[in-house]
């Protein structure tokens, strides 16, 4: 019998990261992004620990409804294209919808009309990323249609938003100009905007001039730094991934985590923290891996695959970079078989 790898997630780390991000971006407010089951850290306890947060970014409506059930008075934002049924449930549950195409706007209007309810929407301008947003040349017609629906009482335009490419500061400056112009046009058309939001983790932290009234931050709140990026002061990894030594001898120590648990098989050579110090992973199989031995190695010893670094283990971003990817890929690919344990 092999043991189950464990993802230990720290409530105090999450809370102090949230406080550090909130302090850094003030007076902008934090929208905590909780998509992908809170970046696989676990949605329920994350929402519970984030009791100071008023805005949550859900991505999809199903996640938004889970947040709503836990936090009846929070603002919850869902921006993935949703089905008619999901749009209806979002409107009934007072979930804010991100809308970035004329077609989707029409579906939201139709659904709200059918239900006799008012949909709260944030209109998305495409500022250059070409990821679901209205191009500047189509913006006036889009705004006109939305404001018409607002006057008919089925819609409230409460926000304007976009997403930055973060390819370069110059690109982002240009995008921010497009965003400001579009937002001004929306206000001129009569929208009484509660919020404007443009930035995610990196730009929210380092580009104060680009922050809107709220910032959508996921990665940094979980302590996942950007690729090539420095450690963020006051922000620590929330999750530690560990596995148990199953067999000692021969090539090295066999530990109970493999590629089917979500550890990329191309991470061979990666240093991990053992009770005897930092050692390399020699091979990664489907169910278990072999790590270089250490003095006094015993069955039951814990090997840290990634974490805050207290024992020399790398963080998820370093692991991601090793496979030419980003920390989020390492965090998100964990299998549901990995046990998650919430600690204080
Ligand atoms: C995931 C996501 C974010 C959060 O990005 P991080 O880099 O994790 O902070 C913000 N906005 C949108 C639209 C997203 O999809």
């Amino acid at each position: 019998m092999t043991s189950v790898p464990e993802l230990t997630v720290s409530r105090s780390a999450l809370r102090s990261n949230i406080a550090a991000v909130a302090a850094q971006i003030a007076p902008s407010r934090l929208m905590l992004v909780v998509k992908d089951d809170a970046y696989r850290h676990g949605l329920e306890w994350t929402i519970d620990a984030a009791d100071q947060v008023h805005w949550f970014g859900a991505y999809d409506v199903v996640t938004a409804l889970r947040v709503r059930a836990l936090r009846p008075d929070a603002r919850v934002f869902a921006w993935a294209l949703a089905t008619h049924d999901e749009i209806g449930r979002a409107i009934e549950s007072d979930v804010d919808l991100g809308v970035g195409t004329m077609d989707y706007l029409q579906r939201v209007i139709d659904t709200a009309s059918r239900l006799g309810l008012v949909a709260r929407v944030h209109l998305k301008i495409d500022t250059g990323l070409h990821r679901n947003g209205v191009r500047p040349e189509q913006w006036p017609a889009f705004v006109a249609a939305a404001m018409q629906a607002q006057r008919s009482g089925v819609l409230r335009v409460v926000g304007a938003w976009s997403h930055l490419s973060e390819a370069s500061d110059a690109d982002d400056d240009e995008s921010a100009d497009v965003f400001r112009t579009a937002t001004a046009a929306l206000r001129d058309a009569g929208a009484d905007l509660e919020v404007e939001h443009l930035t995610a983790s990196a730009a929210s932290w380092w580009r104060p001039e680009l922050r809107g009234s709220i910032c959508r931050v996921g990665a940094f709140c979980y302590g996942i730094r950007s690729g090539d990026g420095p450690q963020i002061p006051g922000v620590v990894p929330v999750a530690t991934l560990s596995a148990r030594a199953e067999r000692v001898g021969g090539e090295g120590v066999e530990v109970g985590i493999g590629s089917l648990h979500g550890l990329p098989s191309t991470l061979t050579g990666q240093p991990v923290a053992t009770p005897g110090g930092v050692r390399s992973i020699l091979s990664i199989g489907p169910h278990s891996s072999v790590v270089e031995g250490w003095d006094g190695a015993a069955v039951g010893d814990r090997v840290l695959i990634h974490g805050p670094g207290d024992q020399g283990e790398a963080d998820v971003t370093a692991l991601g970079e090793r496979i030419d990817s980003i920390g989020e890929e390492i965090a998100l690919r964990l299998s549901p078989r990995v046990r998650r344990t919430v600690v204080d």
Side-chain angles (χ1 to χ4, degrees):
M1 275 290 288
T2 42
S3 57
V4 176
E6 189 156 305
L7 189 76
T8 310
V9 286
S10 161
R11 189 179 282 274
S12 56
L14 177 72
R15 288 178 64 91
S16 65
N17 290 351
I18 288 173
V21 169
Q24 177 77 7
I25 66 175
S28 295
R29 296 177 79 193
L30 169 65
M31 177 191 284
L32 176 62
V33 178
V34 293
K35 64 190 178 196
D36 298 310
D37 198 25
Y39 293 48
R40 288 283 185 279
H41 290 68
L43 185 74
E44 271 70 24
W45 79 269
T46 294
I47 299 293
D48 184 58
D51 54 357
Q52 302 298 312
V53 175
H54 181 63
W55 280 92
F56 293 94
Y59 181 74
D60 57 298
V61 168
V62 172
T63 301
L65 296 174
R66 286 171 66 197
V67 178
R68 170 59 74 227
L70 296 162
R71 289 287 303 276
D73 50 356
R75 292 259 54 105
V76 187
F77 180 56
W79 62 91
L81 285 182
T83 63
H84 271 294
D85 179 56
E86 289 171 342
I87 293 169
R89 286 192 291 149
I91 297 171
E92 286 168 345
S93 302
D94 198 26
V95 165
D96 290 14
L97 292 168
V99 177
T101 69
M102 192 65 115
D103 175 61
Y104 193 56
L105 177 66
Q106 196 56 54
R107 284 169 53 199
V108 172
I109 291 171
D110 292 347
T111 308
S113 308
R114 184 164 50 72
L115 294 171
L117 294 171
V118 184
R120 289 172 49 95
V121 299
H122 302 217
L123 301 187
K124 184 174 191 189
I125 174 90
D126 180 351
T127 52
L129 193 58
H130 305 302
R131 206 198 273 171
N132 171 26
V134 173
R135 296 289 308 149
E137 57 277 15
Q138 276 130 27
W139 186 249
F142 183 61
V143 167
M147 296 313 295
Q148 169 68 39
Q150 176 161 314
R151 283 189 295 275
S152 344
V154 292
L155 205 72
R156 265 191 63 209
V157 179
V158 297
W161 71 293
S162 189
H163 200 37
L164 294 172
S165 69
E166 295 187 345
S168 74
D169 280 359
D171 281 353
D172 289 350
D173 287 338
E174 224 170 273
S175 295
D177 280 343
V178 174
F179 183 65
R180 286 188 199 104
T181 306
T183 304
L186 185 53
R187 287 189 195 281
D188 285 349
D192 181 17
L193 299 179
E194 291 173 19
V195 288
E196 295 166 30
H197 45 113
L198 178 62
T199 56
S201 286
S204 296
W205 191 276
W206 283 294
R207 304 288 319 271
E209 66 283 11
L210 303 188
R211 288 176 202 142
S213 52
I214 50 180
C215 299
R216 302 183 306 268
V217 181
F220 285 10
C221 289
Y222 305 99
I224 302 173
R225 67 185 165 86
S226 313
D228 282 333
Q231 299 294 342
I232 318 299
V235 166
V236 292
V238 169
T240 300
L241 179 64
S242 67
R244 184 176 174 270
E246 297 295 347
R247 217 150 45 81
V248 178
E251 287 285 294
V253 177
E254 186 180 338
V255 297
I257 185 168
S259 58
L260 296 183
H261 297 111
L263 188 67
S265 51
T266 45
L267 274 177
T268 304
Q270 173 64 36
V272 293
T274 75
V278 173
R279 295 289 186 278
S280 291
I281 302 178
L282 298 175
S283 65
I284 299 176
H287 304 285
S288 65
S289 303
V290 178
V291 172
E292 280 179 305
W294 57 93
D295 280 350
V299 170
D301 280 359
R302 280 262 145 210
V303 173
L304 308 189
I305 311 298
H306 65 67
D310 303 343
Q311 295 173 59
E313 74 280 13
D315 65 16
V316 280
T317 302
L319 266 60
E321 287 178 328
R322 199 173 178 105
I323 57 164
D324 295 324
S325 183
I326 55 176
E328 284 86 334
E329 177 173 344
I330 301 292
L332 295 189
R333 60 189 288 155
L334 282 189
S335 137
R337 278 198 260 159
V338 174
R339 177 183 296 121
R340 189 164 51 217
T341 308
V342 184
V343 298
D344 281 336

